[in-house]
Amino acid sequence: MADTLLTPKTDTAHRVVMDATLFTSLPRPPDAFSTPEAVLAQALKFCAQKMGLDDTQAAVDRLRQGESDACGYCLYSIAKQVAGRIGLLDEGARAAYLLDYDATPEDICFGKADVEKPIIHMIIWTERKTAALSSLLAALDRGLVQAYADVLRTSQPGEPAPGMALHADTAADAAAIGVVLDAQVVDDTEVESRTGYAGLLFSIHHRPIQIWRR
Amino acid sequence: MDRFKDAPSEVLTQPRPSLAVTRPPKVDLWATVVGMLDEVAERINLDPGIHAILRQPERELTVAVPVTMDDGSLKVFTGYRVQHSSARGPCKGGIRYHPNVDLNEVRALAALMTWKCAVIGIPYGGAKGGVQCDPRQMSRNEVCRMTRRFTVMILPFLGPRKDIPAPDVNTDAQVMAWIADTVSMFQDKSMMEIVTGKPVPLGGSVGRKEATGRGVAIVTRELSKQKNKPLSETTVAIQGYGNVGSSAATILHEMGCRIAALSDVSGGLYSSRGLDIPDINRHVDAHPGHLLEGYEGAGVEHIDNQDLLTSQVDILVPAALENQIHAENASLIRAHTIVEAANGPTTPEADEILHDRGIVIVPDILANAGGVVVSYFEWVQDLQGFFWEESEVNHHLERIMVQGFQKVWEYSQHARVPMRLAAYMLAVNEVAQAVETRGIFP
């Protein structure tokens, strides 16, 4: 795998340079190809920093207490890290956007993130859609769901964590969380014609925030 | 409205993005808005002098907003406040926090507020503001400090009889409370009427949350009356089940409509016999993410968002995001009426296709004006220092929305133009009359 990563790519067609299924299975240093656990650890650090908390454990505690702000900061950091990794792994990726369905005058912008149902809505703009990118996103999501459920798991089997409906069975917690990464991939053709989710990149009233670009 | 369409379509003629391109081509919204004004001016034979006045914002302010960040570093943000027109009353418009905010965008949005307030008949001009920032990267304390400093920088513009901000993208009731508090500190008196969209305990209005959805339901009902179609025989599809979509669905259901299809980010539901809205609301309230996800009901099919847009219903209510009805799906829409609850859900290209197909569109500027109407009520209540019951808020909202709808509908029929064009023609005419009647100072 290391060879694959270091080998210069000579073909013109873009491709995902790492097998998505290996993303979560191989031990990796906390660098660009780190595990979902490392992504979450970094997110907790960001959360602690933004909330003025002493350490990441305090951020974990806030999450376990169901605090929306803590969840919001974690999700933002996860989104930025995921976007950066997609950029490294998919040569065709051009940009990534964070879409907040609630960031309108009709809803509130702070405190909406739901600890028990954390979800990141992203739009990935790529040269063209590939099965490899879809697999990568699915693998990322699976890894993040599991890692997030692990963080929330604090109590004994059958006993809910304080302030949480989630329980101590990680698999069941992961199933309850469902999806962390809701990533919509749009390609050049869609951006050019402004159709589907690509149309949102031209939004005035509901504009996504660009969190990464090549 | 040809010029209205021109600017966005220019994007389509640009070369295909190369690998180096990482930003979608930017539409010059201000050029689009001015083009639309020019087109309307020609159609209503607007006085050239007044036309020239309306082609420019009255006042613009660009400010530097230095903020000490939590780590001790200093960051300077750029902020804007633009007042497009105060001819009909104090300027009204939101403040948005977004990395892509720029002066042209703020100008355009300020002008759109002028037209929106005019068409619905509330005594405001139009304004807009924004700060170029990504609030999600900032702590709450940093956002608070930035908001307070920005407020002070634009303070010469603000006042309950001058310019009243409101929430917009990435700002909310908390941000409005910080603005009101900052102004109150500087004026050494309570100035809660300086902003709308405040929390109710700080002088916000009851009924604000449902106002936009309620307004959507009212114009939908009024349109059905005009078409002599009883609501009990009317089927509706609603895209988006957030604050606006769910309020509209609930009120339309109470009015007797059959809500045949709903969708949100998690997917959609369809039942030709009509969905059980109270049951769905109970499900959404109980769902951790307040989503339709996981709802099961007798005879309910699961559909996706595209299925919803093309479902066989009488009325389609896009209540989610912009640009959802576009050139590629406009020809597939089967509803005979579209009520635009979201801002800009129909692209100009789709608008033309739908018009050619005889589909009536109640434009966003009218359909979703319920929110700004109740913001106006909030300001009125704050100035009076006397607060209304929700029934009174809803009663006045009903009256204003019905009047606004009838005015646009009748003009549309009289001038034989689409409702969107009719709304803009009426709005520009209202503002022009105010400018003319007041005269030019000195």
Side-chain angles (χ1 to χ4, degrees), chain B residues 11-211:
Chain B
V11 171
L12 301 177
T13 63
Q14 291 182 1
R16 183 184 165 85
S18 71
L19 260 177
V21 174
T22 52
R23 292 181 200 275
K26 194 166 182 185
V27 175
D28 185 346
L29 187 63
W30 174 239
T32 306
V33 168
V34 170
M36 181 196 71
L37 171 65
D38 293 345
E39 177 71 19
V40 168
E42 198 175 309
R43 283 178 176 267
I44 65 173
N45 199 19
L46 184 66
D47 175 88
I50 294 175
H51 183 190
I53 289 173
L54 298 180
R55 283 183 109 250
Q56 289 188 50
E58 275 180 15
R59 289 193 186 91
E60 296 178 351
L61 187 57
T62 300
V63 296
V65 187
V67 177
T68 305
M69 307 303 278
D70 290 345
D71 63 3
S73 66
L74 186 74
K75 202 163 178 178
V76 183
F77 298 91
T78 304
Y80 310 95
R81 186 70 184 172
V82 173
Q83 297 172 346
H84 174 256
S85 171
S86 61
R88 299 183 65 257
C91 297
K92 185 90 186 82
I95 288 174
R96 57 173 51 183
Y97 291 167
H98 196 284
N100 299 121
V101 165
D102 63 29
L103 187 56
N104 259 3
E105 175 182 296
V106 175
R107 277 179 184 146
L109 294 167
L112 290 174
M113 279 304 294
T114 301
W115 314 137
K116 190 169 198 166
C117 294
V119 79
I120 202 64
I122 55 175
Y124 283 141
K128 208 75 175 186
V131 179
Q132 216 174 66
C133 68
D134 181 354
R136 267 153 244 283
Q137 280 194 23
M138 300 163 69
S139 72
R140 258 178 184 257
N141 285 335
E142 287 167 344
V143 174
C144 176
R145 287 195 291 274
M146 185 185 74
T147 300
R148 290 183 183 279
R149 180 64 186 242
F150 175 61
T151 304
V152 173
M153 298 304 287
I154 64 168
L155 199 53
F157 269 33
L158 302 184
R161 301 280 183 184
K162 288 163 71 177
D163 185 344
I164 308 119
D168 198 286
V169 174
N170 291 326
T171 58
D172 61 4
Q174 175 62 74
V175 172
M176 295 305 110
W178 287 329
I179 293 174
D181 181 69
T182 304
V183 177
S184 299
M185 292 300 103
F186 267 76
Q187 307 269 342
D188 197 23
K189 61 186 174 188
S190 174
M191 292 290 289
M192 292 298 134
E193 65 274 25
I194 194 79
V195 287
T196 62
K198 300 181 293 292
V200 172
L202 288 182
S205 179
V206 293
R208 174 64 186 85
K209 188 166 179 253
E210 302 79 15

Side-chain angles (χ1 to χ4, degrees), chain A residues 57-80:
Chain A
Q57 184 55 46
V60 171
D61 292 343
R62 296 292 182 97
L63 272 181
R64 287 174 179 169
Q65 288 159 15
E67 197 167 311
S68 293
D69 277 3
C71 186
Y73 284 124
C74 282
L75 294 183
Y76 181 85
S77 173
I78 291 170
K80 292 233 0 160

Side-chain angles (χ1 to χ4, degrees), chain B residues 213 216-218 220-221 224 229-241 244-264 268-281 284 292 295 297-301 303 308 311-319 339:
Chain B
V216 168
I218 292 167
T220 305
R221 183 197 64 205
S224 296
K229 175 105 175 171
L231 286 176
S232 58
E233 294 172 17
T234 301
T235 52
V236 181
I238 300 177
Q239 188 204 33
Y241 211 66
V244 178
S246 62
S247 299
T250 303
I251 297 163
L252 284 168
H253 177 75
E254 286 166 5
M255 288 175 174
C257 285
R258 201 159 19 121
I259 311 295
L262 293 174
S263 71
D264 66 13
L269 307 171
Y270 177 81
S271 168
S272 58
R273 291 181 303 166
L275 295 163
D276 183 344
I277 299 300
D279 192 46
I280 289 172
N281 286 344
V284 169
L292 298 169
Y295 180 81
V300 175
E301 296 169 39
I303 59 172
L308 179 130
S311 55
Q312 181 70 62
V313 290
D314 299 311
I315 297 173
L316 172 63
V317 180
V339 179

